[in-house]
Amino acid sequence: MVSELPLRSRWGAVCLSGVLLFSMPGLARGGDGGPEVAVDAPLQARVGPSQQTLGQVPPERPDFKPLAVPVAVVPGLLFHGLGALVAGDGQTAKRLFALEGAGLGLIALGGVPIALTGASRRTIAPLYAVTLAGFSVLGISALANLYAVTAPAFDPGVAPPLLPPLELEVGYQYVNDAAFDYRHFLTVGAQARFDSLRLLGALRVDPSEGNTQVRLGGAWRLLGAPERSLAGTDGSALDVEAFGQLHRYPTEGFALISGEVALRGRLAMSRISPAMAGSFAEVSVGTSAEAITYPGAVSDGNLHEQLLFTFGYGVWLGRGGPFRGEAMLYYDHRKDSFAGGIRSRGGGIVGAFGLRGRALLTDDWGVAAEVQGGGALVGRLSLIHALGGER
């Protein structure tokens, strides 16, 4: 929970990261290399029945080539695009090589000056933002490299035509953290969806320890179709989010209070290549202000700021039937979650890695699950009730 950057520099890092991640050349272009398209424009790839109703002629997806799969792993994880090249998909290969090159270039552009200046606080903010952006682009291209050669073996999932107006969630969470005694949590959550506004709330409580986390907030859709009317779109969107959080540690005698704002963008990867239809990349960048409350006088040591940064690669699970949902592999740079962070060999602390999924099995019922690995191991399983279904 130690501040990584001065507050003024942190806002500069957030702004620069937003520009780098949401305005990169080519990411708003269609998968066929044509002119720019609006973020809520229909998907220009063969992704399901909804496209046929729009009377569009989608680009042809490449055939599945089994040999390309092992090549995408070794040496493909070092040279993204080799698998697609072996599969005969030169267009996808070129774009994956370009993404990898952009990621490595951003890491060098930010990381080399950080090393040369000894991580000077006068220059760390923009350099840190550039480096994180580079790792996100590199990570997304690595996962896209694997997806592009395996996806042609099956029909891709599609974004759901609409999501329920109200979802209620109840479940169980297990936390294995050597620093704390708590282990078992009851979880309760709810989210309400309106035209462009989404409200969310979550409660995590350990009945034996009394450890309690309450999180409330919402998201406003800046670009893209609202979640209540996604039919005919590819699911790409940009949201601004705001949350408040209270985490109480009664056994240890302190509490953490925080507020945060962030930009979260989701890009349908079919806009990069038809071979990636059914998948999406997601990036979020923001900042939080935190206060630690405990007995004694308030001092500057009680107040902290944190740069928030996440990126992930996901897939849509549904194909137009009653089963619909999504799953995403991700990295979360924050340090104040249950999973916490991992101390690196260089002495710094990185965030946690995780996998989460959500699926409605019928119009009204579904499940959600998540696992995270950082300073602690976290697992959660929940039952979802969708009031009003998705009709």
Side-chain angles (χ1 to χ4, degrees):
M1 290 181 280
V2 177
S3 175
E4 297 169 339
L5 301 174
L7 182 58
R8 180 180 300 176
S9 298
R10 190 175 309 283
W11 278 106
V14 170
C15 294
L16 181 55
S17 296
V19 171
L20 288 170
L21 296 172
F22 301 126
S23 302
M24 290 186 61
L27 290 190
R29 296 181 182 274
D32 58 354
E36 292 189 0
V37 295
V39 71
D40 57 349
L43 172 61
Q44 301 299 316
R46 187 172 65 194
V47 296
S50 61
Q51 281 299 303
Q52 298 174 3
T53 62
L54 297 176
Q56 298 172 345
V57 180
E60 184 177 354
R61 296 177 71 227
D63 295 329
F64 175 64
K65 302 292 180 60
L67 179 61
V69 177
V71 173
V73 179
V74 180
L77 285 178
L78 291 179
F79 305 98
H80 308 167
L82 279 183
L85 196 62
V86 170
D89 189 354
Q91 175 180 274
T92 299
K94 288 190 294 184
R95 294 182 177 181
L96 286 173
F97 282 131
L99 281 176
E100 182 181 19
L104 292 172
L106 289 172
I107 291 172
L109 186 62
V112 172
I114 288 176
L116 293 177
T117 60
S120 169
R121 293 176 67 85
R122 294 184 177 181
T123 59
I124 186 65
L127 297 177
Y128 194 49
V130 171
T131 305
L132 283 175
F135 275 111
S136 70
V137 174
L138 185 65
I140 289 170
S141 68
L143 295 173
N145 153 69
L146 298 174
Y147 182 86
V149 296
T150 56
F154 51 84
D155 291 332
V158 297
L162 73 163
L163 291 171
L166 179 63
E167 283 188 29
L168 303 179
E169 179 179 328
V170 60
Y172 166 76
Q173 176 175 284
Y174 175 77
V175 181
N176 187 349
D177 190 337
F180 298 98
D181 292 331
Y182 56 64
R183 289 292 182 271
H184 308 283
F185 285 80
L186 171 68
T187 69
V188 179
Q191 59 178 312
R193 299 180 176 92
F194 302 94
D195 186 17
S196 296
L197 175 66
R198 184 162 52 100
L199 300 178
L200 302 96
L203 171 68
R204 310 281 188 263
V205 57
D206 181 345
S208 61
E209 288 284 320
N211 188 284
T212 304
Q213 184 192 77
V214 180
R215 183 174 173 83
L216 300 172
W220 182 266
R221 181 132 302 178
L222 299 176
L223 295 172
E227 290 184 329
R228 291 291 299 147
S229 56
L230 290 174
T233 75
D234 62 11
S236 298
L238 176 64
D239 296 342
V240 59
E241 302 175 334
F243 286 93
Q245 181 172 292
L246 168 65
H247 197 162
R248 181 172 172 267
Y249 297 77
T251 302
E252 293 77 16
F254 72 94
L256 175 65
I257 303 172
S258 64
E260 64 190 64
V261 293
L263 282 173
R264 183 176 301 275
R266 174 174 287 194
L267 178 74
M269 292 298 287
S270 59
R271 299 195 178 195
I272 303 296
S273 167
M276 301 178 202
S279 68
F280 58 86
E282 186 170 296
V283 178
S284 172
V285 58
T287 186
S288 71
E290 305 173 337
I292 303 175
T293 65
Y294 51 83
V298 176
S299 67
D300 290 343
N302 300 66
L303 306 175
H304 304 276
E305 303 87 33
Q306 182 178 194
L307 178 64
L308 306 176
F309 195 98
T310 66
F311 72 87
Y313 197 92
V315 295
W316 284 289
L317 302 176
R319 295 178 177 85
F323 176 81
R324 58 185 71 85
E326 63 183 53
M328 184 171 71
L329 183 68
Y330 66 91
Y331 167 78
D332 188 350
H333 193 63
R334 72 185 305 153
K335 318 301 190 304
D336 61 351
S337 65
F338 281 104
I342 308 171
R343 185 170 296 279
S344 65
R345 291 186 178 181
I349 299 178
V350 298
F353 296 87
L355 173 65
R356 65 170 175 259
R358 167 197 174 276
L360 287 181
L361 308 179
T362 69
D363 283 338
D364 303 306
W365 295 96
V367 294
E370 182 172 20
V371 292
Q372 288 180 292
L377 296 177
V378 181
R380 179 178 57 87
L381 180 63
S382 302
L383 178 67
I384 295 174
H385 181 42
L387 297 181
E390 299 200 4
R391 294 181 292 273

